[in-house]
Amino acid sequence: PLIDVDDLEEFAIRPAPQGVTVKCRITRDKKGMDRGMYPTYYLHLEREHGKKVFLLAGRKRKKSKTSNYLISIDPTDLSRGGESFIGKLRSNLMGTKFTVYDNGVNPMKTTSSLESSTLRQELAAICYETNVLGFKGPRKMSVIIPGMNMDHERVSIRPRNEHETLLARWQNKNTESVIELHNKTPVWNDDTQSYVLNFHGRVTLASVKNFQIIHDNDPDYIVMQFGRVAEDVFTMDYNYPMCALQAFAIALSSFDSKLACE
């Protein structure tokens, strides 16, 4: 089935169709004076015969205390105030926990009791844990996303304070209406002397950044996978109930995570 991306903004937050793997690739552009520190990441949908369709661009903001990525549906406009700003990814000070927001209003920045529909939604939270093996071997990721209702629509999570956030719900074990996912544990391969996952040909280069995200109840269903195919090219595939914005932001967090530089 052809995936319709006519309305990028709508497509980016729409869950993948059930039974369809949305196959994408991310390219990292380090050209220019400060791109080495602040590369731009571009997400494209892969079509038949090698055609690609632009979906999203992401770039780290320069003057932010914590890692803060703006995500846009316009590859040339990565500004906070731009029409194309669709979401952001923000880390804690340690760079171990990340939250993904849509382009709604930050409840801390508004004094009025705004319409709740204009408050920003949290679309995902990502937590990285150092692994028990110190810095060798695979790292652990937990991904928390809003759950789905009976109509297969995403539950809207718009926290008004710290206690309602996805991270707080997860830490307090209040996992009603959220889905907790984990990265699949790689298997040790004696031939290559490394930990490996089976990406079925979608990933060609070994990297500690390669990962697959699953739900513990069904480890064979890959909700998302990400891995390197060239120096600055990565494949990113996702399935229901994830959307492009969630998956892209999770991938951006893995580039950034302090625990990712093993």
Side-chain angles (χ1 to χ4, degrees):
L2 197 62
I3 297 160
D4 167 30
V5 292
D6 289 344
D7 181 344
L8 262 187
E9 190 162 358
E10 193 268 336
F11 172 79
I13 57 173
R14 184 173 72 221
Q18 284 177 290
V20 177
T21 299
V22 183
K23 295 186 174 176
C24 308
R25 65 178 39 206
I26 295 174
T27 45
R28 176 169 55 187
D29 177 10
K30 294 179 179 165
K31 295 186 200 69
M33 283 292 289
D34 55 358
R35 288 282 174 89
M37 283 293 290
Y38 300 98
T40 307
Y41 297 92
Y42 299 103
L43 178 69
H44 285 84
L45 179 69
E46 293 186 355
R47 289 265 201 234
E48 303 300 299
H49 316 302
K51 291 201 177 78
K52 299 199 312 246
V53 181
F54 170 79
L55 297 177
L56 295 168
R59 189 168 187 211
K60 196 174 190 169
R61 295 184 75 177
K62 290 180 189 164
K63 294 191 167 58
S64 195
K65 292 187 189 67
T66 58
S67 292
N68 191 346
Y69 288 80
L70 290 185
I71 300 171
S72 168
I73 51 174
D74 179 343
T76 59
D77 178 15
L78 283 152
S79 63
R80 178 75 176 79
E83 288 286 290
S84 312
F85 169 67
I86 191 174
K88 67 180 222 173
L89 167 76
R90 175 144 231 179
S91 80
N92 63 352
L93 282 168
M94 297 282 293
T96 53
K97 293 185 171 72
F98 295 78
T99 302
V100 184
Y101 303 98
D102 71 359
N103 54 7
V105 178
N106 179 342
M108 304 303 160
K109 291 195 175 147
T110 168
T111 45
S112 62
S113 51
L114 268 172
E115 283 293 301
S116 56
S117 62
T118 61
L119 283 180
R120 65 185 183 188
Q121 283 192 70
E122 289 195 1
L123 293 174
I126 309 112
C127 298
Y128 291 91
E129 293 161 52
T130 40
N131 49 48
V132 282
L133 308 164
F135 280 117
K136 287 279 173 275
R139 57 203 171 132
K140 278 183 71 172
M141 292 168 73
S142 298
V143 175
I144 304 94
I145 58 174
M148 307 300 279
N149 66 18
M150 300 308 274
D151 299 327
H152 303 296
E153 291 161 345
R154 186 183 302 113
V155 175
S156 165
I157 293 187
R158 302 178 193 269
R160 289 176 175 279
N161 57 50
E162 286 299 309
H163 307 294
E164 297 175 356
T165 64
L166 283 172
L167 282 171
R169 290 170 191 229
W170 178 66
Q171 279 156 345
N172 300 331
K173 302 279 186 279
N174 167 19
T175 48
E176 187 193 358
S177 75
V178 303
I179 301 171
E180 182 179 344
L181 305 164
H182 297 281
N183 62 321
K184 194 168 189 171
T185 310
V187 185
W188 180 256
N189 179 323
D190 271 342
D191 296 339
T192 58
Q193 288 290 301
S194 61
Y195 288 95
V196 292
L197 290 162
N198 183 359
F199 288 94
H200 301 285
R202 290 286 291 157
V203 175
T204 49
L205 293 183
S207 164
V208 303
K209 289 188 167 69
N210 298 350
F211 64 81
Q212 291 176 324
I213 301 288
I214 53 165
H215 192 280
D216 291 350
N217 292 353
D218 185 1
D220 294 327
Y221 181 76
I222 307 292
V223 181
M224 171 190 174
Q225 68 178 22
F226 169 84
R228 181 176 250 162
V229 290
E231 172 65 32
D232 288 307
V233 185
F234 305 81
T235 51
M236 182 197 94
D237 303 340
Y238 67 94
N239 281 295
Y240 180 87
M242 215 171 257
C243 68
L245 180 55
Q246 287 169 321
F248 184 48
I250 292 165
L252 289 177
S253 79
S254 82
F255 286 114
D256 195 83
S257 167
K258 301 291 183 286
L259 304 177
C261 344
E262 284 134 60

